[in-house]
Amino acid sequence: MKCKTPKTITMCCVVAALGTIGLLSPTRGTRAEVAPAEQRIANAQERFNAVLAQNPQQMVDAAIFFANDMSPDQVRSALDGGRFSVRGFRHGTQAYSGGYIFQQGENLNQAIQSYARDHILFLTRRVQMENQILNTEKDQKLREAVAAHHRDALQTKTDFEKHGLRIIGLDVSGRAADLQDFRIRKPFVRVIELKEKDRPQPAILPQQ
């Protein structure tokens, strides 16, 4: 998609930047579509427990959300012995959340390396693109909207440069019984939320 005018840049390039290079989009636009965190966690626990009761050997796709954020090395260590497949990582703060989806054939170590590389590339491109928009856009409302996103991007980039990746959850596939075993053995697991087809699943943040 070519960007021909400042307004077109605003509409197409920012969206493209937020979805580029394998990274999940921020959840700003989806938060109103899900229940408040406490109710959502209760619903997730109820649904997962129902599957366990009915058929603990059932294969499920789910997100595991943590009670606190963790470094990639901490996550790698915690996953040792886990009997399920990791499909992606989640990261986020109150202002922004996203993640990384494993590419075909990637193992855990390769995915962590790709995740760090793509995350800083994504943030750098986003900051550059938004700088361009702020320098050329004449519409004040659009400038204000982009400026708010830009502040978030700068803060996220600063946090990454200081602390590296901080992972708050995983996308996984496996037997319900094996995910339950992981939840029991790992006190940092806050909730396991089954995926629903075509339903957004923004991250449940540790501070929510």
Side-chain angles (χ1 to χ4, degrees), residues 130-146:
E130 290 172 349
N131 273 331
Q132 180 183 357
I133 295 167
L134 291 172
N135 289 333
T136 58
E137 180 58 59
K138 303 303 182 184
D139 187 302
Q140 184 61 28
K141 289 184 178 180
L142 289 175
R143 283 179 54 82
E144 290 173 358
V146 172

Side-chain angles (χ1 to χ4, degrees), residues 19-25 86-91 98-107 110-112 114-115 117-118 170-171 195:
T20 193
I21 55 178
L23 291 161
L24 300 179
S25 299
V86 179
R87 305 296 189 189
F89 301 114
R90 300 290 191 98
H91 62 253
Y100 178 82
I101 300 171
F102 281 37
Q103 303 301 301
Q104 186 173 2
E106 273 190 325
N107 61 34
Q110 290 170 334
I112 288 173
S114 298
Y115 185 18
R117 179 199 66 212
D118 288 0
L170 302 169
D171 291 307
K195 291 183 178 294

Side-chain angles (χ1 to χ4, degrees), residues 149-161:
H149 282 276
H150 192 57
R151 287 191 294 271
D152 291 345
L154 291 173
Q155 184 59 57
T156 302
K157 189 170 183 290
T158 298
D159 291 343
F160 175 79
E161 290 167 347

Side-chain angles (χ1 to χ4, degrees), residues 2 9 59 67 75 78 99 113 151 155 163 166 177 186:
K2 294 183 179 180
I9 291 173
M59 294 295 295
V75 171
Q113 292 177 352
R151 287 191 294 271
Q155 184 59 57
H163 307 296
R166 303 300 299 177
K186 305 297 182 179

Side-chain angles (χ1 to χ4, degrees), residues 48 51-52 55-64 82-88 170-182 192-195:
F48 183 69
V51 171
L52 279 173
N55 181 8
Q57 301 307 310
Q58 180 176 331
M59 294 295 295
V60 298
D61 295 324
I64 299 176
R83 298 189 300 273
F84 52 85
S85 298
V86 179
R87 305 296 189 189
L170 302 169
D171 291 307
V172 301
S173 297
R175 295 186 304 168
D178 291 333
L179 297 184
Q180 171 69 351
D181 175 68
F182 186 76
I192 298 174
E193 183 178 51
L194 300 176
K195 291 183 178 294

